Amino acid sequence: MILTVDRVTKWFGEDPTRTYALRDVSFGVDHQEMLYIVGPSGSGKTTLLSVISGILRPNAGTVTVEGKDIWNLSADDLADFRLHTLGFVFQDYHLFPRLTTAENVAVPLVLRRVRWRDSLRKAREVLEVVGLADKAELPPPRLSGGEQQRVAIARAIVAEPDLLVLDEPTASLDGDTGKRIIEFVKTRILEAHRAIIVVTHDDRIYQFATRIIHMEDGRIVDRAEAVA
Amino acid sequence: MSGILSLAMKLLLGDRGKFYTLVIGITFAVFLMMLMTSMFFGIIQHSAANIINIGAEIWVMDPNVQTPQNSIPMPDYMLDVVRSVPGVDYAVPLYLGAGLVRLENGDYQAATVVGLDDATLFGRPPLVEGRTADIYRNNAFFVVRDANYAKLGSPKLGTTFEINDHRGVIAGIATVPVGSLFGLPTLYTTYGRATQDLPSTRYVMSFILVRPKSPAAVAGIQRAVHALGYRALTAAEFTTRNDQFYEFQTAMGMNILIMTLISFVVGLSIAGETFYMFVLDNLERFGALKAIGARSSELVAMIFYQSLVVGFLGFGFGVLLASGLIAFGKLKIPNYAAVITYQNLGMALVMVLVISVVSAYIGIRRILRIDPFVVFRS
């Protein structure tokens, strides 16, 4: 198992207004697995993603990545864990509009203390893989939505993370582009014995999942195996 | 770390509008701070012109004297008493006063008159025209060729004039390191002629200039003179006393201080607010960096680096602008009293550092509070 989530509970506020976002959530993710977390809005998908990414501390339960309980790590070690183990694709991409596309992709490498010049060289290689080699020197606002999504993916995979986390990756893409991108990510990441977690409610891309977890009201209500 | 700082630099330069506003804001603040303090130091330096130009090691004076311009005459016997103090190598009298010069065209012009000891001419300025010995000729005066020289009609050797209804002749043209603060031309003559022609009070000796036998003798001389009811100050002490008079006993020091503080507050406001806006604009991106794996200390380093880069650029441009204006002022305005010293450079630098650190701190407080969870809540 690359990731184990055991009885994770997360609530916001205190009694009597305490609201549960996650209740006793448990599951695991293995190498070469593409797990989808699906469910309606407010079901706790994003909260779960934040908890397993080391961003939002749970009130109970453990999250173990590669055998390490991440919520026992110090703040700096947690940052290092995110930097060295995870790759993020945010729903709104969160690209830096005033950096070039290549510079955006290079950010995780720069944070890993790779030299600026070497980071840019690697970023250009990855942009070539996602088909954006000719857009390397453009700022993200000059790219289409699909291209920006690919830049975000390039940024997420440039440092070759063990676990790729995608938050609503196709929310702002048309159906064909969304499918192409997910197919690309799956091929690229799973080939390297890594794992992918996708939070989505876009059923057009369910076909690419190796497993789907369905959430409602902070609970896992259904687990579907080996869709693809 | 250099990659992270390069990233910080690119983020800063990427937002051209805010970057220019930050640099211009700090430049303006530094420019004002430098100009104000340079004028102050310039005024202080020019007010001490006589102390610098005459160059005596010890000045003996009435205890109530604050500046060279406001001397209180001492009785002649004081000169003999000071000469008898142990440790005194020699002591000479000095007359410092003002005379009214009537020029050849009939115009009147006030002038500072320095009367040098007849025997030694101690404190005489270097001549650019004429000979030192010519000061002993009848009615001879040396004129200082400085910014106020033209007010006497730019006299040449041999030019005659009247001073306090006595005849005067220009016997030499001199230069001095520092011009007078008050815009008056300066005439040098002998102590005997000055005291004979100019003053009207009973006592005429403005100062006694003393050369100690050794630096170790200075304290003893000061104690002995103090016991006589007078004050003996080294040139540095007299300069400090003069500075303090202008700083604390005139409105000048307080006004300059207020203007400098206002400049500082203006710079701090512009830089602080713009930097905070810059941080706010990039808050989600800093959140994304945090989510990706940037440590808080790295974000702090980025913010400090950005604010320091802006601060140093503003400091450089501000100093350049102030230096340019002062240089232009010196070209165009005679005796323009402004001087950039290490003190006011250092003070402006400290203030810029404070502006940078405070601006960064405002942004850092916000950045440290960012919950990277925001990047998932679109």
Side-chain angles (χ1 to χ4, degrees), chain B residues 26-209:
Chain B
I26 294 178
T27 298
F28 182 65
V30 170
F31 170 69
L32 285 178
M33 287 191 285
M34 286 300 298
L35 208 59
M36 290 294 119
T37 52
S38 298
M39 281 164 54
F40 184 61
F41 282 116
I43 288 168
I44 293 289
Q45 189 194 60
H46 281 252
S47 71
N50 282 321
I51 305 174
I52 297 165
N53 295 340
I54 290 168
E57 289 172 69
I58 294 177
W59 294 63
V60 175
M61 65 197 79
D62 186 277
N64 292 316
V65 170
Q66 304 284 339
T67 73
Q69 288 74 34
N70 304 320
S71 60
I72 298 171
M74 295 177 288
D76 291 346
Y77 65 78
M78 267 304 295
L79 179 61
D80 297 326
V81 175
V82 170
R83 281 173 172 162
S84 68
V85 169
V88 170
D89 191 11
Y90 60 80
V92 295
L94 180 78
Y95 173 82
L96 257 182
L100 197 57
V101 176
R102 186 161 186 252
L103 306 176
E104 280 186 331
N105 62 7
D107 289 347
Y108 284 94
Q109 170 65 50
T112 299
V113 177
V114 183
L116 302 172
D117 174 47
D118 293 56
T120 62
L121 297 181
F122 180 78
R124 68 183 182 278
L127 292 180
V128 289
E129 286 183 43
R131 294 178 306 132
T132 303
D134 287 345
I135 203 166
Y136 297 115
R137 286 165 48 192
N138 283 343
N139 309 314
F141 285 84
F142 292 162
V143 63
V144 173
R145 185 183 281 165
D146 59 9
N148 301 302
Y149 172 65
K151 292 175 183 170
L152 289 177
S154 301
K156 296 179 172 45
L157 291 181
T159 299
T160 58
F161 56 93
E162 283 180 23
I163 180 163
N164 288 15
D165 298 327
H166 291 84
R167 184 172 180 273
V169 182
I170 299 297
I173 298 174
T175 58
V176 289
V178 181
S180 156
L181 172 66
F182 302 100
L184 296 183
T186 306
L187 293 167
Y188 281 79
T189 189
T190 58
Y191 181 79
R193 184 173 303 116
T195 54
Q196 181 185 329
D197 292 356
L198 299 174
S200 56
T201 56
R202 182 176 163 209
Y203 297 136
V204 295
M205 189 167 56
S206 309
F207 295 96
I208 298 169
L209 308 178

Side-chain angles (χ1 to χ4, degrees), chain A residues 50 80 82 94 103 113, chain B residues 10 14 284 290 295 298 373:
Chain A
S50 304
D80 286 347
R82 288 197 296 270
H94 292 293
E103 288 165 350
R113 310 287 166 96
Chain B
K10 283 180 177 292
E284 282 198 6
K290 226 173 175 178
R295 291 179 174 195
E298 289 169 336
F373 188 42

Side-chain angles (χ1 to χ4, degrees), chain B residues 168-373:
Chain B
V169 182
I170 299 297
I173 298 174
T175 58
V176 289
V178 181
S180 156
L181 172 66
F182 302 100
L184 296 183
T186 306
L187 293 167
Y188 281 79
T189 189
T190 58
Y191 181 79
R193 184 173 303 116
T195 54
Q196 181 185 329
D197 292 356
L198 299 174
S200 56
T201 56
R202 182 176 163 209
Y203 297 136
V204 295
M205 189 167 56
S206 309
F207 295 96
I208 298 169
L209 308 178
V210 176
R211 181 190 168 100
K213 284 179 178 165
S214 71
V218 172
I221 294 169
Q222 288 180 318
R223 275 195 301 274
V225 171
H226 182 70
L228 295 166
Y230 287 86
R231 190 188 297 270
L233 298 176
T234 63
E237 289 167 345
F238 194 18
T239 304
T240 303
R241 188 173 172 81
N242 176 71
D243 294 353
Q244 287 174 344
F245 173 78
Y246 285 97
E247 284 166 20
F248 303 117
Q249 295 186 44
T250 69
M252 204 183 296
M254 187 53 70
N255 285 339
I256 297 278
L257 181 67
I258 289 169
M259 281 301 295
T260 307
L261 286 177
I262 288 172
S263 313
F264 171 72
V265 171
V266 167
L268 184 61
S269 309
I270 295 174
E273 189 175 337
T274 311
F275 206 75
Y276 187 60
M277 293 300 292
F278 171 78
V279 167
L280 280 189
D281 283 356
N282 287 289
L283 207 54
E284 282 198 6
R285 276 142 210 143
F286 282 114
L289 281 179
K290 226 173 175 178
I292 289 170
R295 291 179 174 195
S296 294
S297 57
E298 289 169 336
L299 297 181
V300 168
M302 285 174 78
I303 296 290
F304 264 120
Y305 183 65
Q306 288 169 333
S307 70
L308 286 175
V309 164
V310 164
F312 282 122
L313 279 176
F315 177 73
F317 286 130
V319 169
L320 205 64
L321 209 60
S323 311
L325 191 78
I326 290 169
F328 182 74
K330 286 187 187 246
L331 275 178
K332 294 290 176 188
I333 304 167
N335 213 23
Y336 182 63
V339 59
I340 293 177
T341 65
Y342 288 118
Q343 285 103 312
N344 60 350
L345 271 175
M347 194 178 70
L349 183 62
V350 167
M351 287 187 160
V352 163
L353 287 175
V354 171
I355 289 173
S356 298
V357 168
V358 170
S359 303
Y361 175 71
I362 294 168
I364 283 166
R365 278 186 63 203
R366 193 65 205 257
I367 283 184
L368 290 181
R369 285 207 310 258
I370 307 173
D371 184 351
F373 188 42

Side-chain angles (χ1 to χ4, degrees), chain A residues 103-119:
Chain A
E103 288 165 350
N104 265 284
V105 174
V107 165
L109 296 175
V110 170
L111 292 177
R112 286 182 177 206
R113 310 287 166 96
V114 177
R115 283 160 56 100
W116 184 257
R117 192 176 293 175
D118 297 337
S119 302

Side-chain angles (χ1 to χ4, degrees), chain A residues 163-220:
Chain A
L163 183 60
L164 187 63
V165 176
L166 296 94
D167 185 22
E168 302 286 5
T170 56
S172 51
L173 302 177
D174 63 73
D176 286 343
T177 310
K179 280 178 189 171
R180 270 206 314 275
I181 282 175
I182 294 298
E183 197 165 13
F184 164 78
V185 169
K186 185 176 179 182
T187 312
R188 172 86 183 167
I189 296 297
L190 296 192
E191 266 180 6
H193 296 275
R194 298 189 182 100
I196 304 170
I197 298 175
V198 181
V199 162
T200 184
H201 52 259
D202 182 357
D203 55 12
R204 295 171 302 182
I205 57 167
Y206 283 6
Q207 61 187 286
F208 298 103
T210 51
R211 191 152 56 99
I212 295 177
I213 287 175
H214 193 98
M215 289 188 71
E216 268 182 35
D217 296 330
R219 288 191 170 94
I220 295 174

